[in-house]
Structure formats: C-alpha cells, structure tokens
Amino acid sequence: MVSSEVETLVYDRKLSSVVPAGVTEENMAKELSCMDKVMKLHYLRGVYFFPSSAVQGLNVTLFKEPMFRLLELYCATSGRIRKSETGRLFIKCNDSGVRIIEAKTDKTIDEWLEMQKDHYSVDNHLVSNQVLGPQLAFSPLVLIQFTWFKCGGLSVGFSWTHVLGDAFAASNFINMWGQGTAGNLPTKSLQRQPKQADQIQLSAEAEAQPLSVRRVEPVGDHWVAAINCRMETFSFQITASQLEDLQTKVASKNQAGKLPPFEALSAVIWQCIAKTREDIEQNVITICRDDFHNRDENVLKNNQMLSIVNADFSVADAEVSELAELIIKKSVEEKTLVEKTVEKDQGMSDFLVYGANLTFANLEDVGLYELELNGHKPTFANCSIHGVGSEGVVLVLPGPEPVKEGSGKGRTVTVTLQENQLAQLREELEHKWGII
C-alpha cells in the first residue's frame, strides 16, 4: 500500500476535550515514583474494534458523558506534567482534560483487519501518535480516538502516557469508561494516592548498574528518545490449539507437563530473533511482568517487575526448552536496582526500558477484552508500545474471545523490531513453528 493511500484512510478528524465533572481541589498533584519516571519515554497504544451491532444508537456525545465523571475519579489523567524549581517531575491535577478525536474511514472493519495482516502500521491511523512535549504544560496525557467505519462499526483508539501507569492501570481506566457508558460508574472517588514508598536506602558503595534499562541522552521537554534505526510492528494470532501444540513441542523430556504459555512463546521468539541477528549474539533479554502482589486497581502507577535473563551459550543453536527453563528459573529481578538508580540521580536522567534489551512483556492478564459497549465486547483488540529501543519488544496479550464456549483462549503477540528483521522473524515462525 503506497503512502498516499494510507494517508487518506482516515479523514474528517474533529478534536475536542473532556474535563472532570467537578473542580479538583487546589494544589492536588500526583507524585511520580521511580518506576513512573523510568517509563517516561514510552507510550501505550490500544485499539478496540466493535461491530455495528455494538454501537447502535451511540455517538461521541454519549461516549463523552461518562468520561466527565471518570476523570473526576481519576483526576491525574486530565492533569499535565510540571517541574518543580529543583527539576522534580510531578503531575499537576489541574483539570486540563483528555483529548477526544472523532474520525471516519471508508473501509469496513473486515477490510481494515485484512489490510492489517500485511500493514500493521495502518492501525497508527486509528490512535493518536502524539507524544509529550515540547510544551509539556499543554500536552494531554490521555487521547481517545473514535473512528467510524463504512459498515457502521467503530474503533476506539486509546493513547496512554506510560508515566501515568502500566498496561494494567491503563486497561482498568478504559474498561471503567466502558462501564460508565452503561451507567455503572462508582458513586465516589476511587483514586487514592499510593502510599508513600519507604525511602530507598542508597549505599555509599558503588551500586551495580541495572541491565534491564538503558540510559539515553537527556530529552529535555520533548519526551521521545532518538532511535537510530527504523522500527516496525506486526501482530499475529495463535489459537488455543496451536498454543497447546507449541507448549508440548517446547517442553523437554525432563519437564513435567506443559510449559506456561508466556515462557513457551518467549523462548521460541527469542531464538527466532537470535537467528535473524547472526552477527550479534542475543544473549540478554528483559522480562517484564505484573507485580500482582502489590497491585491496587484503584491506583494509577507503574507496578511492573523487571528481570534479566542471561544465556551463557548460543541462543540460536540451543534447544528451545533450555531457553524456556532459563526464563522460568534464572530470571534475576532488577526492580529494586532500577529504583535505586533513578533515586540516586534524583530522577534527572532519561532511560529506555522496552528495547534496551530485547524485551518480553507478559500482558496475558490485561483486561483487553473487558471493555464493553452496549453489552458487547470487542471482536478484536490489540496493544502496542511507542518509543521502543533498537533491541525491540514482544508483547504477549490475551487473544480474542473463543467462538465456542470452553474451547480455550489463544494469544495475540505484538512484536516491534528493526524493520530489516521482521521478514526473517515471520519466516522462522511460519516455516519452523507454523504459527503465522
């Protein structure tokens, strides 16, 4: 598809803003944790597709109505980034609002999803690609785009600044908006400031540097890192039966039962990517998981655990079962070390997390299909990350709801890599593993 065709896919964009229903108390602010600050150059982008039957009788005015109240519950989402006199970053809850975009396309949802198979980047037209800055005081943290299709269907494009919270926090927020369209919002504020974290103790001795993040040149007030290569994204589905076969194939004779889905998929894709990089050994990866023990669904924050896996052998030539076992048993947690590193320089440095190493994010339990409109869940939903470093990221997400009840749930895998590696990866996954 030529660029001129892509540019005209979505048209008639209209911009507006939504602010909280009530005035937020003066001087209200959201303090940023060390994990919030380390994620500042990343953005979450979600797209949800709904058929015409799910949005009959609905319009953008009706979509906005529950948002006024939702922003009252989560006032930080309609705030803006500020800096103190000492350079400390925080979110000023000043009711500046979230940005709403309404648009149209002459494609049907089926036609769009067909295009998506070969040109995943078309989804960039269904969700805002805006980043924070260079005028931080005027940059919205959340942008939602409603795109109407020729068939009467709708996509909801959701852009979320990662500094607000992780994928689970973002999902909880947009799903609560869906509940609001059915009149089911809570009657009082759920938003609470996270309890103050214990002061991180900094040792006088030199601390080891975390491997799971990479320090980059300071970006100033324009929150986007300079990446010296072209990154592309593609996504594929793996059905429940394909996943079961893969888990069985990857498991070694010494392992009892099947491997967990995330670890099996990560091991396979790790090796496939290593084979596309014959000149560089792909020995170190980052694993990103939800720290569910410390999650509070009513608090927006970055709650993920970061771990490093280091293979002291050739990944390309190894048994995939060895890689899976390494991920399960030899992951080294670095969250505390990352927090200490950020605390030590008082949050003044800028970092990349996704793509600092090849990064695998376990988002299997994100409520991607829990957003409902008129009692309907999306027929398809996906999530990607903007601001990925050159080593790439792999997101393992829940797949669409199964057609037959009890038939099991597959996964959606979204991969962002250097452009010249994607074709080779797809070939490896298709010919060796039969999962594309």
Side-chain angles (χ1 to χ4, degrees), residues 263 267-268 270-271 309 311 313-316 318-328:
E263 284 75 8
V268 167
W270 183 9
Q271 184 174 75
V309 179
F313 49 80
S314 171
V315 173
E319 292 291 332
V320 178
S321 58
E322 290 181 81
L323 301 178
E325 190 168 352
L326 204 62
I327 294 171
I328 294 170

Side-chain angles (χ1 to χ4, degrees), residues 241-253 255 257-259 264 433:
S241 59
Q242 286 176 317
L243 185 58
E244 190 169 349
D245 289 344
L246 185 75
Q247 290 170 268
T248 303
K249 286 178 185 176
V250 171
S252 72
K253 294 178 182 178
Q255 290 168 329
K258 293 181 296 187
L259 289 166
W433 297 97

Side-chain angles (χ1 to χ4, degrees), residues 294-343:
N294 293 314
R295 176 162 299 284
D296 182 341
E297 292 189 356
N298 299 326
V299 175
L300 301 180
K301 67 174 182 174
N302 281 284
N303 194 55
Q304 61 269 45
M305 301 289 294
L306 297 175
S307 303
I308 283 294
V309 179
N310 194 344
D312 58 1
F313 49 80
S314 171
V315 173
D317 297 328
E319 292 291 332
V320 178
S321 58
E322 290 181 81
L323 301 178
E325 190 168 352
L326 204 62
I327 294 171
I328 294 170
K329 297 182 179 179
K330 300 293 184 180
S331 294
V332 179
E333 187 270 321
E334 285 201 337
K335 181 175 182 178
T336 302
L337 184 56
V338 169
E339 290 175 326
K340 286 184 177 181
T341 300
V342 175
E343 181 78 8

Side-chain angles (χ1 to χ4, degrees), residues 73-90:
L73 300 178
Y74 291 100
C75 58
T77 57
S78 61
R80 297 293 184 265
I81 298 294
R82 291 287 190 271
K83 285 183 182 179
S84 70
E85 292 181 358
T86 61
R88 175 182 58 88
L89 293 170
F90 63 97

Side-chain angles (χ1 to χ4, degrees), residues 35 38-39 42 208-216 284-289 304-310 331-342 350-360 389 391-393:
M35 288 304 294
V38 85
M39 304 303 293
H42 299 299
Q209 291 299 303
L211 299 176
S212 55
V213 301
R214 175 163 59 87
R215 199 183 302 263
V216 297
V284 178
I285 62 170
T286 300
I287 303 293
C288 182
R289 306 176 189 270
Q304 61 269 45
M305 301 289 294
L306 297 175
S307 303
I308 283 294
V309 179
N310 194 344
S331 294
V332 179
E333 187 270 321
E334 285 201 337
K335 181 175 182 178
T336 302
L337 184 56
V338 169
E339 290 175 326
K340 286 184 177 181
T341 300
V342 175
D350 294 325
F351 298 88
L352 282 179
V353 179
Y354 303 113
N357 305 302
L358 176 59
T359 306
F360 292 86
E391 296 303 306
V393 67

Side-chain angles (χ1 to χ4, degrees), residues 223-237:
W223 287 15
V224 58
I227 308 297
N228 59 3
C229 57
R230 183 175 174 82
M231 306 297 289
E232 288 288 348
T233 298
F234 90 101
S235 183
F236 64 91
Q237 306 290 313

